């Protein structure tokens, strides 16, 4: 991510990449840097996408807040970053929030947000059978995981 940003300083994707890294355990949480990256991410995005990218960037900042052991702040940021379909037509934000909620141990909210995401993207339910990533480890053993697949078929 850093090399990409060095080589292509005006590409928003490398700021986004760095934001995603804050979700990883081995990355030191740096909340001020996360907010600065979010600003860069929004500024470098095409104007017609900036409102959505502002919300998406906020969702990604929540990962840094979680890793910095600021769960209440992360929850507030995620709530403020929610958007309706006029801003988030593909319902990507509920999916990202479900990952962050899982990291927080907020299983009920994680399932609620996954339900919103899958309602708009039912084709993704097929992928639940193949899902083995660490993101969803705590959800896969819950009976609601299987129910998600049944509801979206």
């Amino acid at each position: 991510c850093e090399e990409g940003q060095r080589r292509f300083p005006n590409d928003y994707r490398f700021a986004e990449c760095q934001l995603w890294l804050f979700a990883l355990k081995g990355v030191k949480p740096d909340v001020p840097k996360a907010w600065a990256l979010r600003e860069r991410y929004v500024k470098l995005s095409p104007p017609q996408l900036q409102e959505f990218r502002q919300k998406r960037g906020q969702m990604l900042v929540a990962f840094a807040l979680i890793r910095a052991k600021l769960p209440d702040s992360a929850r507030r940021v995620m709530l403020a970053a929610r958007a309706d379909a006029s801003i988030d037509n593909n319902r990507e934000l509920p999916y990202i929030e479900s990952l962050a909620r899982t990291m927080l141990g907020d299983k009920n909210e994680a399932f609620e947000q996954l339900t919103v995401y899958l309602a708009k993207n039912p084709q993704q339910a097929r992928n639940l059978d193949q899902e083995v990533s660490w993101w969803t480890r705590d959800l896969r053993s819950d009976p609601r995981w299987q129910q998600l697949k049944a509801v979206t078929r």
Side-chain angles (χ1 to χ4, degrees), residues 71-122:
D72 292 338
S73 295
R75 288 182 182 101
R76 280 193 302 278
V77 164
M78 285 186 286
L79 287 175
R82 287 182 177 176
D84 63 23
S86 69
I87 295 171
D88 180 18
N89 184 49
N90 293 325
R91 308 309 283 158
E92 291 177 43
L93 298 176
Y95 179 73
I96 296 169
E97 184 175 347
S98 74
L99 300 176
R101 293 291 182 165
T102 302
M103 287 173 66
L104 287 167
D106 297 348
K107 277 188 173 184
N108 290 338
E109 195 59 42
F111 278 108
E112 183 71 29
Q113 295 305 310
L114 271 175
T115 301
V116 171
Y117 171 72
L118 290 172
K120 175 64 178 176
N121 302 282

Side-chain angles (χ1 to χ4, degrees), residues 11-129:
D11 190 327
Y12 70 88
R13 288 174 280 224
F14 295 110
E16 179 184 9
C17 179
Q18 289 184 59
L19 282 167
W20 276 105
L21 291 176
F22 285 117
L24 303 176
K25 287 183 180 180
V27 175
K28 182 182 175 198
D30 184 337
V31 175
K33 181 179 180 182
W35 283 113
L37 284 167
R38 188 203 94 170
E39 290 304 313
R40 182 170 179 73
Y41 171 60
V42 172
K43 179 181 162 199
L44 294 175
S45 294
Q48 68 274 20
L49 296 175
Q50 287 183 348
E51 186 175 16
F52 169 71
R53 296 272 170 78
Q54 180 179 358
K55 300 286 189 178
R56 183 180 170 91
Q58 263 179 258
M59 284 290 181
L60 298 177
V61 168
F63 293 125
L65 291 165
I66 293 166
R67 293 291 184 208
K69 302 196 184 328
L70 299 168
D72 292 338
S73 295
R75 288 182 182 101
R76 280 193 302 278
V77 164
M78 285 186 286
L79 287 175
R82 287 182 177 176
D84 63 23
S86 69
I87 295 171
D88 180 18
N89 184 49
N90 293 325
R91 308 309 283 158
E92 291 177 43
L93 298 176
Y95 179 73
I96 296 169
E97 184 175 347
S98 74
L99 300 176
R101 293 291 182 165
T102 302
M103 287 173 66
L104 287 167
D106 297 348
K107 277 188 173 184
N108 290 338
E109 195 59 42
F111 278 108
E112 183 71 29
Q113 295 305 310
L114 271 175
T115 301
V116 171
Y117 171 72
L118 290 172
K120 175 64 178 176
N121 302 282
Q123 71 282 5
Q124 294 300 327
R126 286 180 291 217
N127 298 331
L128 294 178
D129 284 330

Side-chain angles (χ1 to χ4, degrees), residues 29 32 99 145-146:
L99 300 176
W145 185 260
Q146 295 303 318

